[in-house]
Amino acid sequence: NDNTIREVFINTGLTVAKTALFEQFTTASCMFCPDGAYISAQMESSYANVTTVSVHSCFGTDGMTNQDASTLCSTLGINAAPTGMVNRKLFTGETAVAFGRGPGASAWQSSTWTSRSLAQANAGSPVDVIFSGTYNPATKNINVDVIASFVDYAAPGGDLTVSLMIIEDSVIGSGPAFNQVNAYNTTTGHPFAGAGNPILNYPHRRVMRDILPSTFGATNTIPKNYALNTAYVRNFNFTLNNAWDADNVSLIGIV
C-alpha cells in the first residue's frame, strides 16, 4: 500500500507540574446539580492540582449565565447538567467533551470527574503557566500578565491560545434565578438533605463570570513555531464589575 501516511511526533518527555481544569455545567434550576456541586467542592478542597469552575449553562439559564457559558455549552456540552469537562479533553468512549459524574456524593472519590481530573493533573504539562500583575482596590483595576513557557513540545494540532478566566466564589442571590432546586432535600444521608427545595440563599461556588479576551482565548500570543524555554506573554488590563465581590474573585490562566 503506497498510500499510507503516518505522522511522527518527537519530544523529550519533560514536564512541569500541572493543574487540571475541571469545568462543571450547572444551573439553579437543575435539581441534581447540588450533587455535582458537592463533588466539585470536594475536589477543589482536597486536591491542590485540580481547580474547579462552575459554568452556568446546559440546563436552561439562570442569574449567572453569560455568553461564554452559553458558548462553552453549545460547543462542548451535551445540553445536560450536572456534566463536566476536564481540560476540555475528549476522552475515549465519550461522544462529547462534557460527561456525567458517575458515582454521586457518597462515592465522590471514585467519580468519573475525580478520576479523570487527577489523571490529567498527574500527567504533567509541557508548558508552565504563571501570573504577574497588580490589583488596585480603589479602582478595581487588574493588570495581569499570563506568562507561558514551554519546557518541551506539545502534541501538534490546533491553535495554541491563551485566556484568562474570572471566577467569583459564593455568589448568593434571590428568586428563581439563584435559589437552587434540590432533588436531595428528602434523601437521607445526602449532604443537601434537609437544605430545602429550592435552597434559599444558596452560595453558588466558583462561578465563571468572564473569559478574556474570548471564550477560547487569544491565538496571537504563542506562535506555531514556538521556542522552548521562552516566555510568551499575554497582558490583560480590565476593571472588575462592581456587582462582583472583589474579595471572592480569583483568576485562572489557561493555555
Side-chain angles (χ1 to χ4, degrees), residues 86-127:
V86 180
N87 289 346
R88 299 179 185 170
K89 173 182 172 65
L90 178 63
F91 287 89
T92 301
E94 301 288 354
T95 58
V97 174
F99 53 90
R101 64 197 182 283
S106 62
W108 71 268
Q109 287 180 302
S110 60
S111 72
T112 311
W113 288 358
T114 303
S115 60
R116 289 178 176 177
S117 293
L118 283 176
Q120 285 293 297
N122 294 334
S125 170
V127 58

Side-chain angles (χ1 to χ4, degrees), residues 32-47:
F32 297 115
C33 283
D35 192 70
Y38 178 81
I39 297 172
S40 184
Q42 294 308 302
M43 287 197 294
E44 179 73 32
S45 62
S46 300
Y47 306 121

Side-chain angles (χ1 to χ4, degrees), residues 177-223:
F178 292 91
N179 295 337
Q180 181 63 56
V181 178
N182 177 26
Y184 305 95
N185 186 45
T186 59
T187 303
T188 302
H190 193 277
F192 286 95
N197 184 25
I199 305 172
L200 307 182
N201 299 314
Y202 180 84
H204 294 273
R205 298 296 315 278
R206 299 188 60 76
V207 175
M208 188 275 288
R209 287 300 201 180
D210 200 0
I211 305 177
L212 304 176
S214 59
T215 306
F216 296 107
T219 60
N220 58 354
T221 302
I222 303 172

Side-chain angles (χ1 to χ4, degrees), residues 48-110:
N49 57 354
V50 176
T51 192
T52 67
V53 172
S54 296
V55 180
H56 283 253
S57 59
C58 269
F59 190 87
T61 60
D62 62 20
M64 293 149 286
T65 303
N66 53 49
Q67 185 57 57
D68 290 316
S70 298
T71 300
L72 284 172
C73 176
S74 62
T75 308
L76 303 174
I78 53 176
N79 286 314
T83 53
M85 307 183 290
V86 180
N87 289 346
R88 299 179 185 170
K89 173 182 172 65
L90 178 63
F91 287 89
T92 301
E94 301 288 354
T95 58
V97 174
F99 53 90
R101 64 197 182 283
S106 62
W108 71 268
Q109 287 180 302
S110 60

